[in-house]
Amino acid sequence: MFEFETGTAPRNKKEDEYGNGECTNICDRAAINHQAARERRPLMPPLCVMKFGGTSVGDAACIARAAAIVKSAAAEGSVVVVVSAMSGVTNRLIDAAHRAEAGDASVITKLIGELREQHKKTLEALVRDAPKRAEVEKSLSEVLAELERLLQGTALLRELTPRALDSISGIGERLSTPLLAAAVNELGVPSVPVSATDVIVTDPHHGRAEPLMDRTRVRAEERLRPLLKKGIVPVVTGFIAATPDGVPTTLGRGGSDYSATILGAALGAHETVIWTDVDGVKTADPRIVPEARTIDEISYNEAAELAYYGAKVLHPNTLRPVTAAGVPVWIRNSFAPEKLGTKITARGNSNGGGVKALTAIRGVTMITVGGPGIVGLTDVLARSFAATAALRANVLLVSQSSSQNDICFVISSADEKQTVEALRQAFAPEIAEQTVEHVSSNSGIAIVAVVGENMHGIPGVAGRTFSALGREGINISAIAQGSSEYNISLVVDANAMQRAMLTLHKEFRLNEPASAIQQPLSPGRATADRVS
Ligand code: ADP
Ligand code: ASP
Ligand code: MG
């Protein structure tokens, strides 16, 4: 039997703020309570939505740690928990779905046996009481039986529709949710698993669905609020949702972060906490730049830019639902809950601006539409992007050079095949007339992005970026800088990506504390900046 850490997790400054601190969540709460007092309504306890990622529920010990965090938060106010699949499970489900599509039915029994064993073993380590365990085991068996039917159907038809893939890939969250709810119950805090298919309503865009917030708000009030009022912690499946007709959808890979802020916005939560396996948002992915430093505070815009440009720590849409209301999002380490983590707010860290972090995206493809007629083709951009929009392919960078008679843009490699096909169709008449010579793709690239608010306030960021990479002999094949100046993005060869990140991290002294970065540059550097 796994031993729970039942004591309250070390309280830190942030948690103390609920009652008497100085930070945003208190201010929000004070305002709400002031309003409540005027209207003679009962005071509102603070509501926190907290999400645990795959590694944070990776095994029984991790789930027990997550449950202890939930318990200590539940002692302070209302909590809604969002949970991902146990780490690696979603990848295994997707892989099995593709193998079943290829007619390999042997994978089905193997995967289901492994998942049953893994989740049952975890359950046994978490729940002492046999009848309670049997109840959870029954719900796990029902989900696994559904998975078996879905995979058998796929193998039989040798067809994997986006709709079926959503049903299959979302199974992991349906297996992990009852485990975490059981672990929270085990600590004496009443908790129930809830399927997000009953709460988050989305459009029918399988694999990348977007929430319908009005309907979600109504469902969240109906399904979650009554539980909160009774002091029960709902543990909601991340990643998955359903259309208004109840057809299962998913929010895209890494989508549990998005589930958390969708629910946070729908319920008017005071904050959302994303518990993960790193200390917060770092100045770069620590797997690429080991000396990356944790950022104390960052703005919605900066964090969104990082997420959009590949920082896996956040799903790209995570901040959308909470930005308008200005609700803070925290990124914290479930393996080190005593650390404060990163706070994401409207203003971010107010001291100045400049380069805050770097990010890189691999698994991207540069698409080029080229030919002698491109210059005269006034609607080439409109037609290209109508094609990508129809596929909901995210365009990460665009560059046009009329002298070279081509436009190029970068999309996720997962969208490469469909995008090339759609573009060839869109430009079929021009291809026949040879006004457009080719629609080609290159997947041997990566995007490196330099991110920070108010970069225009710090002269020469672009110059320093190019000079530093030039000194290292790193070739840049396309550049884009948005007018918002939140980022400068560069396309480099995939195999030069890490070198580019290490070089730029040093160049912008990102391993030093923020206050040091804001200090005046050395005279030599300042001159170089002005020149560039
Ligand atoms: P979870 O399973 O908790 O959702 P993810 O693996 O999706 O966690 O995201 C956390 C990972 O994101 C970290 O382990 C880290 O390698 C990666 N990452 C990429 N960029 C950053 C960054 N700028 N700051 C922190 N982590 C980052
Ligand atoms: N389990 C899903 C994935 O692996 C969602 C998530 O982890 O946020 O993509
Ligand atoms: Mg994630």
Side-chain angles (χ1 to χ4, degrees):
M1 173 63 57
F2 186 85
E3 278 308 307
F4 279 98
E5 191 191 322
T6 47
T8 308
R11 294 278 302 278
N12 57 38
K13 187 165 158 268
K14 181 170 35 178
E15 285 165 343
D16 287 343
E17 284 165 357
Y18 277 129
N20 40 32
E22 69 288 345
C23 164
T24 328
N25 53 2
I26 308 302
C27 304
D28 289 350
R29 192 176 166 227
I32 288 162
N33 284 343
H34 185 65
Q35 172 84 7
R38 263 188 292 153
E39 292 173 11
R40 299 213 180 113
R41 282 189 282 118
L43 296 189
M44 241 174 104
L47 169 60
C48 175
V49 175
M50 49 175 61
K51 172 252 168 177
F52 293 91
T55 37
S56 299
V57 292
D59 59 24
C62 294
I63 295 180
R65 206 176 293 117
I69 291 171
V70 173
K71 180 184 168 154
S72 82
E76 308 272 342
S78 299
V79 182
V80 172
V81 175
V82 172
V83 67
S84 296
M86 291 176 82
S87 101
V89 168
T90 312
N91 284 348
R92 284 155 65 197
L93 288 164
I94 293 173
D95 182 53
H98 287 298
R99 286 171 61 182
E101 181 190 21
D104 175 5
S106 68
V107 68
I108 302 173
T109 353
K110 185 166 175 285
L111 175 73
I112 288 174
E114 285 169 4
L115 290 178
R116 189 185 306 281
E117 182 60 26
Q118 178 184 359
H119 289 80
K120 201 175 148 207
K121 215 174 89 204
T122 309
L123 176 66
E124 278 163 9
L126 290 167
V127 177
R128 290 159 216 265
D129 184 55
K132 274 193 205 156
R133 255 197 337 253
E135 213 177 292
V136 180
E137 227 179 291
K138 188 166 164 265
S139 73
L140 296 179
S141 288
E142 282 165 9
V143 175
L144 288 171
E146 191 179 323
L147 174 64
E148 184 163 10
R149 287 196 299 276
L150 285 162
L151 288 173
Q152 293 290 8
T154 304
L156 198 66
L157 296 170
R158 296 217 178 180
E159 186 190 25
L160 181 63
T161 61
R163 177 173 167 165
L165 183 60
D166 268 356
S167 294
I168 295 169
S169 62
I171 291 284
E173 275 69 12
R174 293 172 60 198
L175 294 172
S176 62
T177 300
L179 296 183
L180 182 53
V184 173
N185 269 312
E186 198 71 9
L187 296 183
V189 178
S191 174
V192 292
V194 174
S195 174
T197 50
D198 294 341
V199 186
I200 300 180
V201 186
T202 67
D203 64 18
H205 197 99
H206 290 287
R208 213 174 284 165
E210 287 295 337
L212 306 175
M213 283 308 290
D214 287 343
R215 291 175 191 239
T216 300
R217 240 173 248 121
V218 172
R219 293 272 187 93
E221 285 303 325
E222 284 170 3
R223 186 74 180 89
L224 302 179
R225 189 75 71 191
L227 296 171
L228 295 173
K229 281 190 177 149
K230 286 188 214 150
I232 298 171
V233 175
V235 179
V236 186
T237 49
F239 184 48
I240 63 173
T243 65
D245 301 334
V247 177
T249 54
T250 62
L251 303 171
R253 293 307 306 272
S256 302
D257 302 329
Y258 198 17
S259 311
T261 51
I262 291 170
L263 291 180
L267 289 164
H270 299 87
E271 62 180 21
T272 303
V273 184
I274 294 184
W275 292 97
T276 183
D277 59 357
V278 278
D279 289 346
V281 177
K282 295 192 166 260
T283 48
D285 185 342
R287 286 172 304 185
I288 300 173
V289 182
E291 60 174 14
R293 198 181 45 79
T294 305
I295 300 168
D296 296 336
E297 195 166 338
I298 190 166
S299 72
Y300 292 132
N301 288 332
E302 290 168 327
E305 207 75 19
L306 283 174
Y308 186 67
Y309 280 94
K312 190 172 173 250
V313 67
L314 282 178
H315 179 284
N317 295 345
T318 309
L319 298 166
R320 269 195 211 164
V322 290
T323 300
V327 180
V329 176
W330 293 87
I331 312 297
R332 302 188 62 188
N333 191 344
S334 69
F335 297 85
E338 71 286 356
K339 292 190 178 159
L340 273 179
T342 300
K343 185 179 186 186
I344 310 176
T345 58
R347 283 182 70 214
N349 185 334
S350 54
N351 60 355
V355 177
K356 203 64 157 285
L358 307 174
T359 182
I361 326 186
R362 285 168 284 199
V364 288
T365 294
M366 186 147 83
I367 305 282
T368 310
V369 180
I374 291 287
V375 187
L377 215 57
T378 49
D379 59 352
V380 65
L381 287 176
R383 283 163 66 192
S384 299
F385 297 132
T388 55
L391 299 169
R392 283 214 186 169
N394 252 349
V395 178
L396 298 157
L397 179 149
V398 185
S399 166
Q400 177 171 26
S401 150
S402 57
S403 62
Q404 286 184 11
N405 299 332
D406 63 23
I407 63 155
C408 63
F409 54 89
V410 179
I411 51 162
S412 158
S413 295
D415 295 324
E416 175 181 349
K417 200 167 147 243
Q418 286 169 297
T419 305
V420 170
E421 274 166 17
L423 287 167
R424 287 194 179 137
Q425 232 163 47
F427 290 102
E430 286 82 4
I431 291 172
E433 286 166 19
Q434 295 185 337
T435 325
V436 170
E437 258 171 8
H438 62 91
V439 174
S440 59
S441 59
N442 172 8
S443 54
I445 57 141
I447 296 180
V448 168
V450 177
V451 173
E453 202 140 352
N454 298 328
M455 289 203 299
H456 54 275
I458 315 269
V461 173
R464 275 172 76 185
T465 304
F466 303 138
S467 309
L469 295 181
R471 276 198 305 275
E472 277 295 310
I474 295 169
N475 187 40
I476 302 170
S477 34
I479 311 162
Q481 175 170 20
S483 56
S484 63
E485 295 197 44
Y486 289 131
N487 97 57
I488 298 171
S489 5
L490 320 155
V491 176
V492 296
D493 272 0
N495 54 22
M497 182 275 286
Q498 183 164 26
R499 216 151 43 88
M501 291 284 282
L502 292 167
T503 303
L504 294 175
H505 203 265
K506 258 204 191 78
E507 175 64 28
F508 292 106
R509 298 152 69 197
L510 293 178
N511 58 326
E512 298 172 23
S515 54
I517 299 168
Q518 301 309 326
Q519 278 164 19
L521 299 163
S522 64
R525 280 188 150 169
T527 312
D529 270 348
R530 276 197 296 274
V531 170
S532 58

